[in-house]
Amino acid sequence: MTTPFPFTAVVGQDDLRLALLLNAVSPAVGGVLVRGEKGTAKSTAVRALSALLPEVAVVPGCRFSCDPSSPDPACPDGPHETGPGVQRPARMVELPVGASEDRLVGALDIERALAEGVKAFEPGLLADAHRGILYVDEVNLLHDHLVDLLLDAAAMGASYVEREGVSVRHAARFLLVGTMNPEEGELRPQLLDRFGLTVEVAASREPDQRVEVVRRRLAYDDEPAAFTARWADEESSVRARIIAARALLPSVRLGDGALRQIAATCAAFEVDGMRADIVMARTATALAAWAGRTDVLAEDVRQAALLALPHRRRRNPFDAPGLDENKLDDTLEEFAEQEQEPTQGPEDDDPGPDGPDGPGGGGGQSPEDDPDGPQGGDTAAQPEAGESGEPQPSGTGSGEQQPVRASEPFRTKVLSVPGLGEGAAGRRSRARTEHGRTTGARRPQGALTKLHLAATVQAAAPHQLARGRAGRGLVVRRDDLRQATREGREGNLVLFVVDASGSMAARQRMSAVKGAVLSLLLDAYQRRDKVGLVTFRGSAADVALPPTSSVDAAAVRLESLPTGGRTPLAAGLLKAHDVLRVERLRDPARRALVVVVTDGRATGGPEPVVLAGRAARLFAADGVASVVVDCESGPVRLGLAGQLAGELEGTAVTLDELRADSIAGLVKDVQRRAA
C-alpha cells in the first residue's frame, strides 16, 4: 500500500489546508472545491487528509458502514442490532472521471430480479464512501448526470437506486472534495453552489518556498516511510485537534450579531438563494471550534465569507471567481456600527452586543466590484484600417491594431447540427444518449444499463412453454434482455474561425464582432460544448485555442486578439479543416459546427479568392455544418460572405440578424443545407 504524503508536510496552501480541516471538523459544511493549475498539490493534500481522520466504528459485515450505536433502519444489509461494533480507518474513495452511473450508485442484478424476484444489489462508490471522503479529481470533466447524482447524494445524505420498479436506498454521508483545473472547463453555476467551500490554489512565486517544496518531495520519493515517520508527531497533533474540535462543536454559540453579519455580507455580494448564508454559518462555527472557542467572532465570519462566497458571486460564466476584500471589510464594519447604535438608546432591552465590537469610524463607500478593471486606451476612436493596414502608434507590429474590448454579449438562438449524433451529453443537438426519452429497444452491447421492460417481456414470452414454465413467474434468460435506446441532447465542437485582418480593424466593428463571438461562446458554455478558436491575419492563420471545454479560455484569447494586415481567408479555412481532422481522431463521436466570422474578403498571395473557394468546398465535402457571420458594413455591400457561405453549403447571417428573431430561420436553413 502506498504511504500517503503527510498532510502537515504540505508547504504553503494555507487556505486549502484550512478548508479541508474545517470539513473534517464539521462535514455539514458541505465539502470543498479546489480550483487551480496543475502541479499545485491539490490531490496530494486531499489524499493526505484521510490519514488525519479519526477511526470510525462500523457494524461487522455491513457493506454500508452503518454506525453500530445508531444503525440505519433502512440499510439493505439490515436490520442491525445496536452493539459495540468494530473500528476501522476512515476511507477515502476516489471516483474516476470515466466511471459509469452503476459504478457510482451501485447496480442491480436484473436477471435475478426478474427470474427470482430478489433484490440482488451490489453497492457502488457512494456506499463505500459513507462516513469517509469521496474524492473526485477533475470534477469538471465528469458527465453532468454523474455530477447531479453525486451532489444530490451529498445534499440528502442518502443514495436512491431505482431500476424498473426495484428500489434500494442506503445512507451516503461523506466529505465531498473535488479538484479541477479551470483551463479544462468550468462547472455549471448551480453545481458550483452545491460545494460548501471553494479554494483557489497556485504555485508560490517565492524561491525559498519553491525550494522547500522540491526538497520535501524528493525526500518523500526517496524514502516514503522514513519521511512520513519524521512528521508523525505533527500528524498526531493535528488529528487530536480535529477530535477536540468535533467534541467542542455542539457547544459553539452562533449569536444573533454574527448571524446578522452573515446575512448582511451575503446580501451585499448579491449571492443567489440561502445556501450561502447556511454554509457561512456552519463554516464560522467550525472555525470557532477549530480555534478552541465557544463563541463565533467577527474574524470567523470574515474567514467564512472568503471561503464560502467567491464561487457564488459570479454573475455570468466569464466572471472570474473571487471576493473584493475591501468591500467585505466595509460591510462588516458598517454592520458592526449598526449593532452598536441601539446599545446607546434608552429603549434597548439588550444593551450588550453579541460579539466583539467592530472597528468604528468606517462609513467609506465600497469600491466597485470589478477585478478586471477598465482597459486603457479604448476611449478614443480610430479610423478603419484598410488592407494595407497602416500601423497605429500603439500597435505591436506592422499593420497591427491595439486589441479592443468586446461589446456587451447578447442572447442568441440555438445553432444545432443536423441529424442524430452519439456524442457526449450536452444541450445542443439531437443524439442517442443514456439519459432522455425512450425511443426503442435493442440487444445490450456489453453490460445492461437501462432495461426496456416491455421489450424484454415481449422477447421472453414466446419461449415460456419450451422453457417449462410452471406457475406465474416469467422464465427470463440473458438473450431476452433488451437495452432501452434513448434520445437526448449532445454537446458539439463549435469551432470559431475569426477574421482579424485590417478590413476588420475598425474599432467599432471589431468590438461588435467580439461581442457577437462572446455571445456565441456564452451559448456554447450553457450547452456544454467544446470550443476552438482559429484566427487569420497578415499572411497566415493561427490556432489561438485548440478545442477545449474551457469557454473561459476562449473568451480570454478573444479579448486579447489583435487585428491588422491582409486577409488570408484560405489559410484560415485550411487551418480550421486541419483542426477538425485531428479532433475527429481524438473524439470521433463529437460532431462539429464551424462559425466563420468575416466580411468575406480574401487578399494576399496568388488567386486568393479561388483558393478560399477550394478550401470552403472541403467542409462541404465532409458534410460539416457551418454558419458565416457577415461582418461587412457600410452602404455598399459586396456580398462576399454570402458567396463564401454558398461554397461551404452553409448559411450567412449579418451581425444585426444574429441578434434578431430571424435567426430561428437560420437554424432551419443550416439543417436543410447540411442534410
Side-chain angles (χ1 to χ4, degrees):
M1 181 177 178
T2 303
T3 303
F5 192 90
F7 185 86
T8 51
V10 175
V11 180
Q13 310 296 9
D14 295 340
D15 287 344
L16 169 59
R17 290 188 294 167
L18 177 61
L20 292 172
L21 290 170
L22 291 177
N23 275 272
V25 171
S26 176
V29 167
V32 185
L33 176 65
V34 187
R35 297 163 45 92
E37 57 196 19
K38 53 186 176 293
T40 50
K42 300 188 299 293
S43 300
T44 299
V46 174
R47 293 189 175 99
L49 178 67
S50 61
L52 295 179
L53 297 182
E55 290 188 338
V56 295
V58 297
V59 174
C62 178
R63 298 174 297 168
F64 302 89
S65 301
C66 280
D67 186 347
S69 62
S70 57
D72 181 7
C75 176
D77 284 354
H80 302 300
E81 298 291 335
T82 58
V86 295
Q87 297 285 328
R88 67 159 175 79
R91 293 173 180 162
M92 192 195 74
V93 178
E94 293 195 40
L95 173 61
V97 170
S100 66
E101 180 178 334
D102 289 342
R103 183 72 185 98
L104 177 62
V105 301
L108 293 170
D109 190 331
I110 299 296
E111 293 181 68
R112 291 189 63 191
L114 288 175
E116 304 175 27
V118 297
K119 297 180 180 179
F121 179 69
E122 184 66 27
L125 295 177
L126 291 180
D128 293 341
H130 180 46
R131 305 176 68 197
I133 301 173
L134 183 61
Y135 172 46
V136 190
D137 194 13
E138 306 296 350
V139 64
N140 51 323
L141 302 183
L142 277 180
H143 289 304
D144 285 351
H145 68 281
L146 289 181
V147 178
D148 291 339
L149 290 170
L150 180 66
L151 296 180
D152 284 344
M156 295 185 295
S159 175
Y160 295 85
V161 184
E162 304 288 343
R163 291 291 189 275
E164 281 73 32
V166 182
S167 177
V168 173
R169 175 262 180 207
H170 65 83
R173 293 183 295 275
F174 46 81
L175 169 55
L176 176 63
V177 182
T179 57
M180 60 175 284
N181 184 348
E183 293 179 356
E184 298 173 345
E186 287 283 358
L187 282 173
R188 300 196 312 264
Q190 60 268 40
L191 300 185
L192 279 172
D193 186 56
R194 299 295 290 273
F195 282 94
L197 309 179
T198 187
V199 178
E200 293 280 339
V201 296
S204 173
R205 298 298 184 258
E206 292 293 331
D208 291 343
Q209 195 171 79
R210 296 175 74 96
V211 167
E212 186 61 23
V213 170
V214 175
R215 182 181 291 119
R216 293 187 186 183
R217 187 69 210 190
L218 292 178
Y220 170 78
D221 290 340
D222 289 342
E223 296 183 48
F227 181 83
T228 303
R230 290 200 296 270
W231 292 88
D233 291 342
E234 288 82 353
E235 294 282 287
S236 297
S237 176
V238 174
R239 187 181 302 109
R241 189 174 175 184
I242 291 174
I243 295 173
R246 284 186 174 184
L248 183 62
L249 187 65
S251 303
V252 175
R253 176 175 175 269
L254 182 66
D256 289 344
L259 277 174
R260 290 193 179 95
Q261 283 186 317
I262 290 170
T265 302
C266 292
F269 285 97
E270 300 180 350
V271 295
D272 296 329
M274 294 298 298
R275 185 174 284 118
D277 303 62
I278 296 171
V279 171
M280 275 190 64
R282 289 172 174 167
T283 304
T285 303
L287 280 163
W290 178 248
R293 290 185 270 101
T294 56
D295 285 307
V296 174
L297 306 182
E299 63 194 62
D300 299 324
V301 175
R302 186 182 191 280
Q303 183 63 56
L306 293 175
L307 293 172
L309 296 188
H311 60 303
R312 293 185 166 93
R313 59 159 296 275
R314 300 179 70 183
R315 310 315 298 174
N316 68 67
F318 304 134
D319 287 341
L323 211 63
D324 186 337
E325 295 192 32
N326 290 330
K327 181 176 180 178
L328 173 61
D329 291 336
D330 289 345
T331 302
L332 294 176
E333 289 178 10
E334 180 182 359
F335 177 79
E337 292 176 355
Q338 293 176 357
E339 283 293 295
Q340 293 173 26
E341 287 175 2
T343 66
Q344 301 173 3
E347 299 179 2
D348 189 2
D349 294 333
D350 183 13
D354 268 319
D357 293 343
Q365 186 175 1
S366 61
E368 290 295 324
D369 190 11
D370 183 9
D372 292 328
Q375 297 293 322
D378 268 1
T379 56
Q382 294 184 4
E384 178 173 350
E387 289 296 325
S388 60
E390 281 293 322
Q392 299 297 320
S394 58
T396 58
S398 177
E400 185 170 306
Q401 306 293 316
Q402 181 84 356
V404 299
R405 295 288 298 270
S407 62
E408 283 296 318
F410 52 87
R411 181 174 295 277
T412 67
K413 297 293 180 65
V414 183
L415 303 177
S416 60
V417 178
L420 192 64
E422 295 182 347
R427 300 178 60 192
R428 184 171 295 277
S429 305
R430 295 174 55 226
R432 298 183 184 91
T433 60
E434 287 293 321
H435 297 269
R437 63 185 183 90
T438 301
T439 58
R442 60 174 174 81
R443 291 182 180 273
Q445 300 172 352
L448 179 69
T449 57
K450 299 291 182 182
L451 178 72
H452 195 295
L453 185 59
T456 299
V457 172
Q458 188 176 11
H463 307 290
Q464 296 305 296
L465 184 61
R467 294 173 183 174
R469 171 184 171 182
R472 302 178 62 183
L474 188 67
V475 181
V476 178
R477 295 180 179 172
R478 175 69 184 177
D479 291 343
D480 301 327
L481 299 179
R482 295 294 182 269
Q483 174 85 24
T485 58
R486 302 189 176 190
E487 181 177 314
R489 293 279 171 177
E490 67 176 0
N492 298 117
L493 167 60
V494 182
L495 182 61
F496 294 93
V497 186
V498 180
D499 184 351
S501 65
S503 63
M504 304 284 289
R507 186 166 296 274
Q508 184 177 1
R509 181 194 295 183
M510 199 60 199
S511 177
V513 167
K514 287 187 176 183
V517 177
L518 195 64
S519 302
L520 293 169
L521 281 172
L522 180 60
D523 182 70
Y525 169 86
Q526 294 168 341
R527 302 191 185 283
R528 311 299 290 167
D529 294 315
K530 290 180 71 173
V531 296
L533 179 62
V534 173
T535 64
F536 56 95
R537 57 185 289 270
S539 59
D542 295 311
V543 181
L545 183 71
T548 175
S549 297
S550 178
V551 177
D552 287 20
V556 171
R557 304 292 172 85
L558 178 71
E559 191 70 21
S560 60
L561 178 66
T563 57
R566 294 186 177 274
T567 311
L569 178 57
L573 294 174
L574 290 174
K575 181 69 71 173
H577 188 267
D578 188 56
V579 169
L580 292 183
R581 178 184 60 80
V582 174
E583 192 64 18
R584 275 195 291 267
L585 297 176
R586 294 175 178 170
D587 193 356
R590 189 181 292 268
R591 298 183 295 163
L593 174 65
V594 176
V595 179
V596 185
V597 184
T598 181
D599 57 9
R601 298 185 185 183
T603 61
E607 299 184 321
V609 177
V610 175
L611 291 177
R614 291 176 182 173
R617 287 191 288 273
L618 293 176
F619 291 88
D622 291 342
V624 178
S626 59
V627 176
V628 178
V629 179
D630 185 0
C631 302
E632 190 175 27
S633 61
V636 179
R637 291 179 175 268
L638 302 179
L640 299 176
Q643 296 177 22
L644 176 62
E647 299 283 2
L648 289 166
E649 295 189 7
T651 301
V653 58
T654 66
L655 287 173
D656 291 337
E657 291 170 342
L658 197 59
R659 295 173 174 270
D661 293 338
S662 59
I663 197 173
L666 164 66
V667 178
K668 300 176 182 178
D669 200 20
V670 170
Q671 295 176 338
R672 183 171 57 254
R673 286 175 179 268

